[in-house]
Amino acid sequence: MTSAIQVKPISGALGAEIDGVDLASDLSNEAFDQVHQAFLDHHVIFFRGQHGLTPEKHKAFGRHFGTLNVHPYVKGMEGHPEILEIIKEPEEKTNFGGGWHTDMSFLEEPALGSILHAIEVPPFGGDTLWANQHLAYEALSDGLKETLEGLTAIHSAKGEYGPKGQSALNRQSMEATAAPDAPEFEHPVVRTHPETGRKGLYVNPAFTLRFKGWSRRESRPLLNYLFEHSRQEPFTCRFRWEAGSVAFWDNRSTWHFALNDYHGHRRHMRRVTVNGDRPF
């Protein structure tokens, strides 16, 4: 019943848990509208106890919001290429997503959002952090805002999926392809959200290489300042996973960071990514 849906914020910056929704069932129009509005209002939304979310149901929920992405460099789940099996085995030292980033900003049309379902979680650790890039932008001085409005940034996967990257490369639990010659795409440094009209920063440490027309050396001081600024504690929330938990975040307005603090234990997640449009 849609009247039972409750939206409970988890921090002052972003994030809300939603009760009263079974993602494995068909959502009514009213329920979808409530979930969609919570997504826009809170930028990342969480659902507990979604044990019935099969791969097909996972994809079906994602398709409410758009077409689904097939990752260009990481092999998807057998029979479900749209689903990434994000696994860290007990003996592995690095994890997938272990640094602040925005999913798929290295594409010409980056992702709208990502939907992550926890299958198996460690007994401790493995939380995920998110950072609100609208708040990060709004906290800047008027002078820096004016400077950034005229800048374009170059994004590419060639760093993260190159020889020194921290992606799924060289990890036994995920099959990935190296991308040292990955294409570069231009995106505005200040992005306008296509649904809310709100402005936010759109650079990230994983995939932003430099500013258009600037060298990497010239770009580094300002990019480093923005990277440090954008992950300040007042802009963040933190989520403790349980088996069956689902997070759905807006890649147009957030960064996220998967903490790697559970060595010796297994963590298994499944991710569906919803395709987006070209930033403006």
Side-chain angles (χ1 to χ4, degrees):
M1 295 175 60
T2 56
S3 60
I5 293 177
Q6 294 183 322
V7 180
K8 300 180 294 185
I10 69 167
S11 84
L14 76 168
E17 287 199 25
I18 297 183
D19 293 334
V21 175
D22 178 6
L23 299 181
S25 63
D26 293 331
L27 295 181
S28 66
N29 290 338
E30 183 181 355
F32 171 77
D33 288 343
Q34 289 181 265
V35 169
H36 186 213
Q37 191 60 54
F39 176 69
L40 295 178
D41 291 343
H42 299 282
H43 315 293
V44 54
I45 51 178
F46 307 101
F47 307 82
R48 299 283 189 184
Q50 303 294 321
H51 300 286
L53 195 66
T54 64
E56 287 293 352
K57 295 292 187 179
H58 193 168
K59 292 190 295 184
F61 177 64
R63 288 188 176 114
H64 280 290
F65 298 88
T67 60
L68 303 185
N69 176 267
V70 175
H71 200 288
Y73 308 118
V74 183
K75 184 179 180 180
M77 182 180 181
E78 189 69 32
H80 301 279
E82 308 93 339
I83 297 178
L84 288 188
E85 295 263 48
I86 300 174
I87 299 170
K88 181 180 180 239
E89 298 292 359
E91 65 275 13
E92 292 182 315
K93 301 302 182 185
T94 61
N95 69 331
F96 186 77
W100 285 110
H101 65 287
T102 299
D103 289 337
M104 318 301 284
S105 78
F106 55 78
L107 297 179
E108 186 173 14
E109 295 185 341
L112 178 154
S114 301
I115 305 165
L116 191 63
H117 183 211
I119 307 301
E120 180 181 350
V121 299
F124 55 79
D127 294 2
T128 304
L129 309 177
W130 281 266
N132 184 333
Q133 297 307 291
H134 294 309
L135 292 183
Y137 170 75
E138 291 162 3
L140 296 173
S141 68
D142 290 341
L144 185 50
K145 287 178 185 176
E146 185 176 354
T147 298
L148 297 177
E149 286 281 358
L151 292 181
T152 298
I154 308 301
H155 295 243
S156 177
K158 64 178 62 177
E160 195 71 8
Y161 288 89
K164 298 180 181 179
Q166 297 296 314
S167 67
L169 297 171
N170 303 316
R171 297 181 59 237
Q172 68 180 53
S173 57
M174 298 179 69
E175 185 178 335
T177 302
D181 299 318
E184 298 180 352
F185 294 106
E186 301 176 1
H187 301 312
V189 172
V190 178
R191 177 175 188 172
T192 301
H193 195 286
E195 295 186 79
T196 67
R198 194 173 175 187
K199 291 183 177 181
L201 289 174
Y202 196 68
V203 293
N204 69 89
F207 304 122
T208 305
L209 303 182
R210 64 188 185 279
F211 297 115
K212 181 181 179 181
W214 298 29
S215 69
R216 294 192 73 160
R217 183 178 179 184
E218 291 168 338
S219 301
R220 188 51 48 192
L222 181 51
L223 281 177
N224 282 343
Y225 175 81
L226 295 176
F227 296 159
E228 289 293 329
H229 169 80
S230 296
R231 60 191 185 213
Q232 291 184 75
E233 186 176 343
F235 308 148
T236 66
C237 73
R238 179 170 180 154
F239 185 66
R240 171 63 178 151
W241 293 94
E242 301 169 350
S245 295
V246 170
F248 179 24
W249 63 89
D250 194 332
N251 282 299
R252 303 165 296 185
S253 58
T254 66
W255 287 3
H256 60 283
F257 188 148
L259 295 179
N260 187 25
D261 56 353
Y262 52 97
H263 299 310
H265 298 280
R266 191 173 194 267
R267 185 176 185 266
H268 178 192
M269 320 290 277
R270 289 178 179 155
R271 191 184 89 186
V272 161
T273 301
V274 182
N275 288 319
D277 50 19
R278 194 165 198 165
F280 62 91

